[in-house]
Amino acid sequence: MAVSGSQLTRIGAAFSGVSKKLTITAKAATEIAGGITIDVRAALLAYGDLAALVGNRIYRVRLPDNPTYPCILFRATEEPEVTLGGASAVQHFEYEFEIYADDFVQLESTALQLQNAMETGAFKAIMVDFNDDNFIDSSRVHGIYIDYSVWQ
């Protein structure tokens, strides 16, 4: 579903004053940010040690039904940079990564390779939060949640 400029304006007006953060879909993130979402996913897929663990199982916004593990889910949140001089041309997003795996060793290996991939990308990425080993009873998998600030 495409979001028109007028729809974004109405959405923005509805939330004006509540929050300046706008969580956006993967397609909107790509269109609005000039491709920063694709750059992050491409960097992850291109990182050989991570790709050896997850293949192409790096998903935006939601996991497929009955996913194969390990896999990575991510969301992008736009964080506009505004200074006293006005809006900055710097692209800044917060990325929330969720890593899921069948066992703890696989989970830790995937998390380490995600960290290596994010820190060697063509953008500036800083880890801002790390929530270690969560077990999800309903799906019987382990999860780690890692947040990054990404600039380009």
Side-chain angles (χ1 to χ4, degrees):
M1 177 175 116
V3 178
S4 71
S6 63
Q7 288 172 318
L8 285 175
T9 301
R10 285 195 307 273
I11 292 168
F15 289 99
S16 179
V18 175
S19 174
K20 293 298 178 185
K21 279 187 179 181
L22 176 61
T23 301
I24 51 182
T25 66
K27 183 175 181 187
T30 302
E31 292 169 357
I32 293 169
I36 193 169
T37 298
I38 288 175
D39 290 346
V40 170
R41 186 170 190 274
L44 297 178
L45 290 171
Y47 194 78
D49 292 337
L50 181 62
L53 294 168
V54 300
N56 66 349
R57 295 183 306 274
I58 300 173
Y59 306 102
R60 296 183 191 109
V61 183
R62 78 180 282 278
L63 292 174
D65 293 334
N66 303 310
T68 301
Y69 301 106
C71 63
I72 298 173
L73 173 70
F74 74 95
R75 295 172 189 86
T77 303
E78 184 178 15
E79 296 287 338
E81 296 294 316
V82 180
T83 66
L84 293 174
S88 171
V90 174
Q91 293 177 325
H92 177 209
F93 279 76
E94 293 289 326
Y95 278 84
E96 301 170 3
F97 291 96
E98 298 175 16
I99 302 167
Y100 298 104
D102 291 319
D103 63 63
F104 185 73
V105 172
Q106 194 179 51
L107 182 72
E108 290 288 322
S109 297
T110 306
L112 176 63
Q113 295 310 320
L114 172 69
Q115 181 179 355
N116 291 341
M118 288 299 292
E119 293 175 2
T120 60
F123 39 78
K124 297 176 183 165
I126 298 172
M127 184 187 302
V128 294
D129 193 19
F130 183 89
N131 187 335
D132 200 7
D133 193 30
N134 296 283
F135 186 73
I136 297 97
D137 288 325
S138 61
S139 55
R140 310 292 301 160
V141 296
H142 295 267
I144 287 180
Y145 312 111
I146 305 173
D147 295 346
Y148 277 91
S149 281
V150 177
W151 289 268
Q152 191 173 30

